Amino acid sequence: MEMQGTKRSDLLQLAKDASTSPGVYLMKDGEGGILYVGKAKNLKNRLSSYFQAAVHEIPRTEMMVTRVDRFDVILTETEAEALILECTLIKKHKPRFNVRLKDDKAYPYLKIRQDQGYPRIEWTRRVQRDGARYFGPFPSAWAAREVMKLLNETFQLRDCSDNTFRYRSRACILHQMGKCTAPCVGLITESDYRDSISEVISILEGRGDRLTKDLRRGMEQAAENEEYEQAAWFRDQLKNLELVTATQVVDEAGSHRNRDVIGVEREGTDAHGVVLQIRGGRMLAVRHYHLQNTDPTQPESELLEEFLSQYYFLQGAISAEGLEPEANADPGRTEGMAPASEILVHFAPENPDLLGGLVGARVHVAETDSEKQLMGVARANARYALEQQVKKAGGHGIE
């Protein structure tokens, strides 16, 4: 401990000799590995704060400081340049103690092809421009499959492959169980079958509430009968359906706004961000990002700033000189989508004006009822996805 104390006092003296200019600092271990990259309006003050305290209240910060052997600084002329350089270096070096964005591109969707006489609901992770209807993304593969199963059984739709459907000569066991109307052998007309598909589409668009009411009624009845497992099943189906339909009904009537709605939720060292991309008042895409290496004691304003700066840097909205185009472009960016002119958040990030100036959009907190409704959709999806991520990981901690 004495050696560590001596090292910390030596680092403090070096920090006090640092420039008061804005810039970026790189915390390094004894082998020269980069532990952490940060930015500062005043490098001297920011660096000194790391080594003044005997023990930091934030465990993650203390863990990082105890491993620091030296630090390097890079001066910039402005805070904006420091922010851009910080994002560049984090992307390049992926320091262990920095929050990092993992783009979860493979969230599942439900697909209904409209060029078939007897279409089925399909599960997919790829959205293509093929004329089909896509609904989602769902916060987990399990949620997507459960909703697909629920809709198939409720409306007795076929779930067999196209090849099986084409060559079947007699009704399968699902028809005998009352779970399929057997369109494969003509036991339902194409018109009646497509009426069922239309109702399914209405439900997934959030315009049909009959199934939602049935699920809620079933949950209440099961709970009254003390059938708690059955009640939990109804609850989960209701939640899955409500989450995906919420994203389909986002439509600001009469609005031509281009907005990104940001929802960030956290649980321990895990956090998840969702971006609703709204263009011309209509929802066009939902993007999911997992935030790795977050500190549970970090102020939410700082966490939100880290998410926003890294997200828009990856999107290419914040550019950095010297980077190859493919290095700062986000391969999941929606093709041909106009940039957002507004960024809606549920609390103010650090330096909202600085971020807004770099992105070219106004950053502001949701205030009106419609803005709060949009924020509720973003946060509900972020919270559910985070719960699934925590369950999948089975634990916490720095990688």
Side-chain angles (χ1 to χ4, degrees):
M1 292 299 293
E2 184 178 348
M3 288 182 63
Q4 174 57 37
T6 302
K7 183 168 69 174
R8 189 170 293 199
S9 63
D10 292 341
L11 289 168
L12 176 59
Q13 187 56 53
L14 291 172
K16 288 180 177 179
D17 293 335
S19 171
T20 57
S21 298
V24 171
Y25 54 91
L26 295 84
M27 299 293 193
K28 296 185 175 181
D29 59 24
E31 298 178 352
I34 299 175
L35 298 169
Y36 183 80
V37 174
K39 67 178 182 307
K41 182 178 181 180
N42 183 315
L43 284 167
K44 177 181 177 178
N45 291 346
R46 186 71 183 96
L47 286 165
S48 297
S49 69
Y50 282 105
F51 308 113
Q52 283 174 339
V55 178
H56 283 274
E57 294 182 3
I58 300 176
R60 179 166 159 271
T61 302
E62 178 64 21
M63 187 186 303
M64 185 270 289
V65 170
T66 59
R67 301 184 185 190
V68 175
D69 182 74
R70 63 185 187 276
F71 58 81
D72 294 338
V73 298
I74 304 173
L75 304 184
T76 61
E77 292 188 1
T78 65
E79 287 184 77
E81 290 178 358
L83 176 61
I84 292 170
L85 183 57
E86 178 193 39
C87 290
T88 304
L89 293 173
I90 290 173
K91 179 175 176 63
K92 180 178 179 180
H93 297 290
K94 297 180 174 59
R96 181 175 184 181
F97 286 90
N98 277 96
V99 173
R100 299 196 302 273
L101 252 60
K102 178 184 177 184
D103 188 353
D104 293 329
K105 303 181 185 69
Y107 271 73
Y109 289 77
L110 294 184
K111 171 182 178 180
I112 298 178
R113 288 190 287 174
Q114 297 180 300
D115 59 348
Q116 295 179 320
Y118 297 97
R120 64 190 177 106
I121 306 174
E122 302 176 52
W123 185 96
T124 183
R125 292 187 186 272
R126 295 182 61 193
V127 177
Q128 300 174 303
R129 294 185 175 182
D130 55 3
R133 292 294 306 273
Y134 290 86
F135 302 92
F138 284 79
S140 71
W142 176 82
R145 294 189 188 280
E146 285 294 298
V147 169
M148 182 172 68
K149 180 180 177 182
L150 174 68
L151 293 173
N152 278 337
E153 292 186 359
T154 300
F155 294 94
Q156 300 181 44
L157 304 177
R158 75 176 182 96
D159 68 353
C160 55
S161 69
D162 291 344
N163 191 57
T164 299
F165 176 79
R166 190 177 299 115
Y167 296 107
R168 183 171 292 280
S169 58
R170 62 180 180 176
C172 68
I173 191 171
L174 290 178
H175 172 69
Q176 298 173 29
M177 296 169 63
K179 295 183 177 181
C180 179
T181 51
C184 55
V185 291
L187 297 186
I188 183 174
T189 65
E190 181 177 328
S191 175
D192 288 343
Y193 187 90
R194 292 195 71 89
D195 285 344
S196 295
I197 286 292
S198 295
E199 191 164 355
V200 167
I201 290 174
S202 292
I203 289 170
L204 290 173
E205 288 178 336
R207 294 187 290 107
D209 59 359
R210 180 175 66 84
L211 182 57
T212 299
K213 288 180 179 178
D214 289 345
L215 289 171
R216 186 171 284 109
R217 190 181 303 113
M219 178 180 67
E220 294 170 353
Q221 186 63 51
E224 185 178 328
N225 295 339
E226 299 185 357
E227 298 171 346
Y228 299 119
E229 288 188 9
Q230 185 70 6
W233 181 87
F234 280 114
R235 178 203 62 203
D236 290 344
Q237 301 309 312
L238 189 61
K239 187 174 183 180
N240 292 334
L241 197 58
E242 288 178 342
L243 276 172
V244 73
T245 56
T247 63
Q248 311 303 320
V249 299
V250 172
D251 188 352
E252 297 179 276
S255 172
H256 298 288
R257 290 175 173 172
N258 292 340
R259 279 176 163 170
D260 285 345
V261 183
I262 313 295
V264 177
E265 295 290 318
R266 67 198 300 183
E267 180 71 34
T269 58
D270 290 285
H272 195 92
V274 164
V275 182
L276 308 182
Q277 295 179 311
I278 300 172
R279 300 296 183 267
R282 298 195 65 184
M283 172 86 70
L284 294 188
V286 182
R287 306 295 303 281
H288 283 265
Y289 294 86
H290 186 63
L291 284 72
Q292 299 175 317
N293 298 347
T294 67
D295 191 317
T297 59
Q298 180 185 29
E300 288 193 342
S301 58
E302 290 183 9
L303 179 65
L304 181 58
E305 183 189 73
E306 292 192 43
F307 175 78
L308 290 171
S309 59
Q310 290 194 48
Y311 170 73
Y312 286 105
F313 180 79
L314 289 171
Q315 286 282 86
I318 300 176
S319 61
E321 280 193 38
L323 277 183
E324 296 295 327
E326 63 269 24
N328 69 355
D330 178 3
R333 187 177 184 181
T334 306
E335 183 181 352
M337 183 179 289
S341 58
E342 291 181 283
I343 300 171
L344 202 61
V345 293
H346 56 284
F347 54 85
E350 295 281 317
N351 301 313
D353 294 336
L354 172 62
L355 280 166
L358 288 170
V359 176
R362 175 176 171 244
V363 180
H364 68 107
V365 177
E367 296 178 346
T368 67
D369 289 343
S370 63
E371 289 175 345
K372 290 177 180 178
Q373 182 183 15
L374 292 173
M375 187 56 61
V377 172
R379 295 189 68 182
N381 277 269
R383 169 55 55 184
Y384 190 90
L386 178 60
E387 291 172 357
Q388 299 301 312
Q389 184 71 29
V390 171
K391 289 178 183 177
K392 182 179 179 181
H396 306 279
I398 296 173
E399 290 184 343

